[in-house]
């Protein structure tokens, strides 16, 4: 039997070690059972419909989230361009609006600078999650 160690090669707390040792013993006992293949087959038949429902839901959820994020990115890009243009060539009246304070134009520009690229990256991640769930 291998000693129980954490990822940092430290022994676990005493109570944790007792529980993990008991679980290891149960797993070894079950692994030695002659009817293990039948137990696993029954478990798969029982759990597969629920797993398939979850994966179907997960794929559609992540696909919808990707579409939402792509829409956010498309909306943010023109606003980002307009905000940058206003900041580069402001009208004298806009100089008051450009004061760096909460909800000022520079604050909004800074938010828009990262929001559209963030949405594009997040949409790509959601597409990947949906693809994995569909597989």
């Amino acid at each position: 039997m291998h000693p129980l160690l954490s990822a940092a090669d430290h022994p676990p707390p005493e109570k944790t070690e007792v529980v993990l040792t008991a679980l290891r013993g149960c797993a070894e006992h079950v692994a030695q059972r002659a009817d293990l293949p039948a137990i696993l087959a029954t478990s798969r038949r029982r759990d597969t419909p629920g797993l398939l429902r979850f994966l179907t839901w997960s794929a559609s959820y992540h696909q919808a989230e990707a579409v939402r994020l792509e829409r956010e990115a498309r909306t943010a890009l023109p606003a980002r361009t307009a905000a940058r243009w206003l900041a580069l060539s402001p009208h004298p009246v806009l100089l008051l609006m450009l004061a760096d304070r909460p909800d000022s134009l520079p604050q909004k520009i800074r938010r828009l600078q990262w929001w559209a690229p963030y949405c594009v990256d997040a949409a790509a991640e959601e597409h990947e999650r949906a693809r994995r769930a569909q597989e």
Side-chain angles (χ1 to χ4, degrees):
M1 183 167 283
H2 301 289
L4 296 172
L5 297 174
S6 71
D9 289 333
H10 298 294
E14 187 177 330
K15 288 183 181 180
T16 304
E17 186 173 7
V18 169
V19 170
L20 291 175
T21 302
L23 287 173
R24 181 186 283 173
C26 289
E28 288 173 356
H29 172 72
V30 170
Q32 294 173 4
R33 290 183 57 145
D35 60 345
L36 180 62
I39 291 171
L40 292 175
T42 303
S43 176
R44 282 188 203 100
R45 277 194 304 277
R46 186 188 69 222
D47 293 341
T48 298
L51 179 60
L52 288 176
R53 278 192 306 275
F54 169 76
L55 290 173
T56 301
W57 168 86
S58 180
S60 64
Y61 169 80
H62 290 300
Q63 196 63 38
E65 193 64 11
V67 168
R68 183 188 68 79
L69 288 164
E70 288 168 344
R71 189 173 46 247
E72 288 273 339
R74 282 192 306 272
T75 303
L77 285 173
R80 176 184 179 195
T81 303
R84 193 180 309 149
W85 178 79
L86 283 172
L88 292 176
S89 57
H91 187 275
V93 173
L94 290 177
L95 290 175
L96 293 174
M97 292 174 55
L98 291 174
D100 199 9
R101 62 182 201 283
D103 288 337
S104 66
L105 189 56
Q107 292 291 334
K108 291 177 184 175
I109 291 170
R110 278 196 277 283
R111 279 193 295 271
L112 289 172
Q113 293 295 344
W114 65 265
W115 183 244
Y118 166 80
C119 287
V120 169
D121 292 343
E125 290 173 7
E126 291 296 331
H127 279 301
E128 178 60 22
R129 288 184 188 109
R131 184 193 61 75
R132 285 196 316 258
Q134 287 169 344
E135 281 182 353

